[in-house]
């Protein structure tokens, strides 16, 4: 029976990819792999009885090597699936991605055909859910004009900002904008005509100046236009709340200007 090993890493992409790197090092040392290595993200979480726990220190070089190896040997499509699955909120996402990668390096880029394998099907499910939520927020996200830059606040279940980055960079290359994820406490900051970057922390909004914060709290002309458009396009006789809630669940509406009173 193989020794059960739990790698505990920080809750970040670099932390998870570092743990995956260390897992493959352990796999090589063991000489065989029987899904006996798992990855636990953050403090706490599930503990396995009689398992050896190893703390993983985040290493940018190891994380980059892991990403580059996946992309070069398995292709960008496999990396995109893996990255999407890791953006989910499932506690076991790192473990199932590890199992998926072990099989991918064994079978090649066509690992997605192994739909009978629980690790493969689970990673594809997680990635698909993140992709679906990301696509919805690309359409539902609303910006406010905040004296010099555009600002939007969202509260997604999954970590979708990273997958939306290229979409909004391409759509608004000449705009200064910030997309703040209130659930995961970080923001995508895009200076006009430059690459966007991420800023972490709960006090991001507090860093705005007093004048900008006052502008943020006030309704600007674009917000009023959104509300007028939404009201004028609606047909009262054809109002269908059930259909609307199916296409646009209410939890998406919290920061949509046309629904904010």
């Amino acid at each position: 029976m193989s020794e059960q090993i739990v790698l505990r890493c920080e809750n970040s992409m670099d932390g998870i990819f570092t743990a995956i790197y260390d897992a493959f090092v352990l796999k090589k040392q063991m000489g065989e792999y029987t899904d006996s290595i798992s990855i636990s993200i953050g403090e706490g979480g599930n503990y396995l009885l009689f398992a050896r726990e190893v703390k993983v220190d985040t290493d940018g070089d190891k994380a980059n090597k892991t990403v580059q190896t996946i992309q070069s040997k398995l292709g960008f499509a496999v990396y995109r699936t893996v990255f999407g699955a890791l953006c989910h909120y499932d506690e076991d996402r790192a473990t199932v991605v590890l199992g998926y990668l072990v099989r991918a390096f064994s079978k090649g880029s066509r690992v997605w055909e192994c739909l009978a394998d629980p690790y493969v099907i689970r990673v594809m499910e997680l990635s698909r859910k993140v992709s679906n939520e990301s696509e919805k927020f690309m359409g539902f996200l609303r910006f406010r004009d905040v004296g010099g830059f555009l600002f939007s606040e969202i509260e997604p279940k999954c970590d979708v900002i990273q997958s939306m980055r290229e979409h909004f960079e391409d759509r608004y290359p000449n705009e200064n904008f910030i997309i703040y994820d209130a659930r995961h406490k970080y923001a995508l900051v895009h200076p006009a005509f430059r690459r966007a970057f991420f800023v972490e922390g709960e006090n991001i909004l507090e860093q705005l100046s007093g004048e900008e914060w006052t502008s943020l709290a006030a309704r600007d002309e674009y917000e009023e236009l959104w509300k007028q458009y939404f009201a004028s396009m609606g047909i009262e006789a054809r109002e269908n709340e059930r259909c609307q809630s199916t296409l646009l669940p209410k939890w998406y509406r919290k920061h949509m200007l046309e629904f904010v009173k």
Side-chain angles (χ1 to χ4, degrees):
M1 180 178 179
S2 301
E3 179 186 18
Q4 295 293 317
I5 302 174
V6 177
L7 302 178
R8 187 169 297 279
C9 65
E10 71 173 16
N11 187 12
S12 69
M13 282 294 175
D14 279 353
I16 296 173
F17 280 123
T18 301
I20 292 174
Y21 180 97
D22 289 350
F24 274 92
V25 172
L26 288 172
K27 172 183 176 295
K28 186 175 181 179
Q29 294 173 352
M30 294 164 60
E32 62 177 354
Y33 182 83
T34 56
D35 297 322
S36 58
I37 302 175
S38 60
I39 300 175
S40 183
I41 302 173
E43 300 296 331
N46 297 326
Y47 290 87
L48 297 177
L49 192 63
F50 305 122
R52 175 164 65 94
E53 183 170 313
V54 179
K55 184 178 182 300
V56 175
D57 295 323
T58 302
D59 187 315
D61 290 337
K62 289 182 178 180
N64 289 333
K65 288 179 182 178
T66 304
V67 171
Q68 292 171 6
T69 301
I70 296 172
Q71 293 178 345
S72 62
K73 294 189 176 182
L74 300 176
F76 189 77
V78 170
Y79 172 72
R80 184 170 53 190
T81 299
V82 166
F83 186 85
L86 293 178
C87 287
H88 200 273
Y89 52 82
D90 189 279
E91 292 184 355
D92 296 327
R93 62 188 183 278
T95 298
V96 295
V97 163
L98 173 61
Y100 174 87
L101 287 174
V102 169
R103 289 152 176 79
F105 282 116
S106 174
K107 299 179 181 299
S109 59
R110 299 181 68 86
V111 63
W112 57 269
E113 295 179 347
C114 304
L115 296 181
D117 189 290
Y119 286 90
V120 174
I121 190 64
R122 184 59 179 155
V123 165
M124 294 181 67
E125 287 175 352
L126 296 179
S127 182
R128 184 174 63 251
K129 289 178 181 178
V130 173
S131 177
N132 289 342
E133 186 176 2
S134 176
E135 289 180 1
K136 286 183 179 294
F137 270 106
M138 287 180 191
F140 298 155
L141 185 145
R142 302 289 185 260
F143 282 110
R144 288 179 173 179
D145 185 5
V146 188
F149 64 91
L150 302 177
F151 179 86
S152 179
E153 183 175 356
I154 59 176
E155 292 187 43
K157 295 180 179 179
C158 302
D159 186 0
V160 300
I161 285 186
Q162 301 195 54
S163 59
M164 296 193 303
R165 174 178 177 170
E166 291 186 4
H167 171 81
F168 285 102
E169 279 184 331
D170 292 341
R171 189 170 184 181
Y172 302 109
N174 61 330
E175 296 286 354
N176 298 305
F177 67 79
I178 296 176
I179 302 176
Y180 177 64
D181 185 338
R183 184 182 298 272
H184 299 93
K185 306 300 181 185
Y186 81 105
L188 175 67
V189 180
H190 179 267
F193 302 108
R194 294 170 56 189
R195 285 280 293 171
F197 58 91
F198 299 104
V199 178
E200 298 182 356
E202 298 185 19
N203 62 340
I204 296 174
L205 299 183
E206 297 175 4
Q207 298 175 18
L208 299 175
S209 67
E211 181 180 351
E212 290 170 341
W213 182 258
T214 301
S215 299
L216 179 61
R219 292 181 179 176
D220 58 38
E221 59 182 7
Y222 294 103
E223 181 175 350
E224 293 300 331
L225 285 173
W226 264 114
K227 290 180 178 293
Q228 292 175 19
Y229 173 80
F230 182 71
S232 62
M233 291 297 292
I235 302 176
E236 185 175 355
R238 296 185 178 182
E239 185 174 343
N240 188 331
E241 179 64 27
R242 177 177 295 181
C243 180
Q244 187 183 58
S245 296
T246 299
L247 299 175
L248 178 58
K250 292 184 178 180
W251 70 272
Y252 282 99
R253 307 179 192 181
K254 184 175 181 179
H255 300 289
M256 294 181 67
L257 303 183
E258 57 266 45
F259 291 100
V260 177
K261 296 182 179 179

